[in-house]
Amino acid sequence: MGADLWIISIAIFCLGALMGALNFITTTLDMRAKGMTLMRMPLTCWAWFVTAILGLLAFGVLLSAGILLLMDRNLGTSFFVPLGTVNGVLTGHKGGSPLLWQHLFWFFGHPEVYIAILPAMGLCSQLLSVFSRKPIFGYKAMVYAILAIGFLGFMVWGHHMFMSGMSPYSAFAFSIMTMGIGVPSAIKTFNWLGTLWRGKIRFSSPMLFAIGFVSLFVVGGISGPFLAQPVLDIYLHETYFVIAHFHLIMGVASIFGIFAATYYWFPKMFGRMMNEPLAKTHFWLTFIGAYAIFMPMHYYGMAGGLRRYSQGTEVGWINQLWPIQRFISIAAFVTIAAQFIFVFNLFWSMKKGKKAVDNPWEATTLEWTTATPPPHDNFGGLTPVVYNGPYEYSVPGAPRDYVMQTDAPVTARH
Ligand SMILES: [Cu+2]
């Protein structure tokens, strides 16, 4: 029975993988026929592509783990139940491993971090190029860095389990792999800075959020290598240092991606511009607010402040740290309040915003070649033909400072 289930599961997996591969090949060939080769794809699309693969591989594991957990709770199995109790209630089964649950959960949980942030990385790369009026620095390096981050993301789940009694040798391997993710992340960061360098920067609201994303990504990411050291992680585990780290990078940085994308594509979606002064107020309050919330958390965590405790009044030294908590709470309320500016701007601009032209940001990618808002099926039945790469800004000899992907080729940069 067990062996049959294995064979059926593996057969279903192989069939799915085969269908996915066929779909990828036919779609790629279709795109090629219209000039859109993989290396002419905007980095936003590359990031979504890799995110989709991560989603396929990671969520399946979470789903399986969830089904096993439900069976443990309801059907009398014992995948994760070590002794005869579940939540303090005696059950008739035992012999499972809670560590198995941790492994399955984090095999999903770590790639999930990249599922949240890769799309923001892709679209912020795109925005930095558009609003610096420069080609993205190192397009191919950016693509390979996304692929490397996606691949390494599946190798490092054990860094969430240093405290589980893991062998120091395994911990060392997970630690080295985790440090390895720093390499493609640094490549991306330097390329973002290289894109900004000497650009004719336009500080429109999508660009502010894209730059804010880079800032938060660096500041949130830099504490990753600290936490990747088992010896430091054993001290910092369950402290607010961890909260500060992952909220900055996975929470706020990704949310900045969502805001950047909304301000950028709103005109295309609704045919109207969002209000810039409101957008900039929203940016500055959120940007300063995010730092005001999460920077003090690092100190609170290093001083030993623990997560998941509603009060620390019994413990003297936690009492002394209470003003930090109070400051964080006030900063959080102010930052949350600032989000109502965004909500108001969103709905107000749909009705009252100034009318948008087809290509308000003077960008090069395909969505800006079609009408605003786009016709049914996006291109009115005419699939555009692509002649250029996605980041042809300040091209020498071109009539404008940008060459759209559908324009006749001026240079053969890609
Ligand atoms: Cu992780």
Side-chain angles (χ1 to χ4, degrees), residues 209-409:
F209 277 97
I211 297 174
F213 167 84
V214 174
S215 162
L216 291 158
F217 177 76
V218 172
V219 173
I222 207 85
S223 47
F226 291 80
L227 291 166
Q229 309 300 325
V231 70
L232 282 176
D233 183 71
I234 285 168
Y235 176 74
L236 292 169
H237 190 86
E238 293 283 25
T239 69
Y240 266 87
F241 191 88
V242 180
I243 317 297
H245 160 71
F246 84 81
H247 278 87
L248 268 181
I249 192 155
M250 182 188 166
V252 191
S254 305
I255 290 170
F256 267 48
I258 295 172
F259 286 138
T262 308
Y263 286 117
Y264 183 64
W265 278 298
F266 184 93
K268 183 51 72 183
M269 291 193 289
F270 298 105
R272 291 176 185 275
M273 306 297 288
M274 286 183 82
N275 180 289
E276 269 296 288
L278 283 181
K280 285 181 174 157
T281 314
H282 171 228
F283 167 77
W284 284 111
L285 286 174
T286 311
F287 185 69
I288 296 169
Y291 276 105
I293 296 168
F294 293 109
M295 287 318 275
M297 270 190 199
H298 289 92
Y299 301 108
Y300 186 73
M302 280 190 280
L306 294 171
R307 64 192 295 198
R308 300 201 178 105
Y309 281 67
S310 63
Q311 50 185 322
T313 41
E314 306 288 306
V315 190
W317 52 266
I318 292 234
N319 247 343
Q320 289 167 24
L321 298 173
W322 227 227
I324 303 185
Q325 285 284 31
R326 194 171 298 128
F327 177 83
I328 291 172
S329 298
I330 294 167
F333 286 126
V334 174
T335 314
I336 292 166
Q339 304 319 303
F340 289 106
I341 302 174
F342 170 74
V343 175
F344 171 78
N345 195 356
L346 192 70
F347 291 108
W348 184 84
S349 302
M350 279 182 199
K351 293 267 169 286
K352 297 269 159 64
K354 142 168 152 281
K355 280 252 186 275
V357 293
D358 286 352
N359 187 4
W361 312 115
E362 301 185 302
T364 58
T365 44
L366 295 185
E367 71 274 28
W368 304 107
T369 62
T370 190
T372 285
H376 181 70
D377 98 343
N378 296 336
F379 296 104
L382 297 165
T383 315
V385 180
V386 173
Y387 298 101
N388 298 296
Y391 301 112
E392 301 291 357
Y393 294 97
S394 306
V395 180
R400 302 175 289 197
D401 89 325
Y402 62 106
V403 179
M404 298 191 79
Q405 290 203 271
T406 51
D407 286 350

Side-chain angles (χ1 to χ4, degrees), residues 106 110 113 156-157 159-160:
W106 286 115
H110 189 83
V113 174
V156 299
W157 77 94
H159 65 210
H160 297 272

Side-chain angles (χ1 to χ4, degrees), residues 87-127:
N87 283 350
V89 180
L90 264 180
T91 61
H93 48 100
K94 60 182 179 184
S97 161
L99 270 186
L100 175 63
W101 166 261
Q102 284 203 16
H103 277 294
L104 291 176
F105 179 81
W106 286 115
F107 192 78
F108 146 81
H110 189 83
E112 164 59 22
V113 174
Y114 297 102
I115 290 170
I117 204 162
L118 274 178
M121 285 175 146
L123 77 94
C124 288
S125 308
Q126 177 152 350
L127 298 194

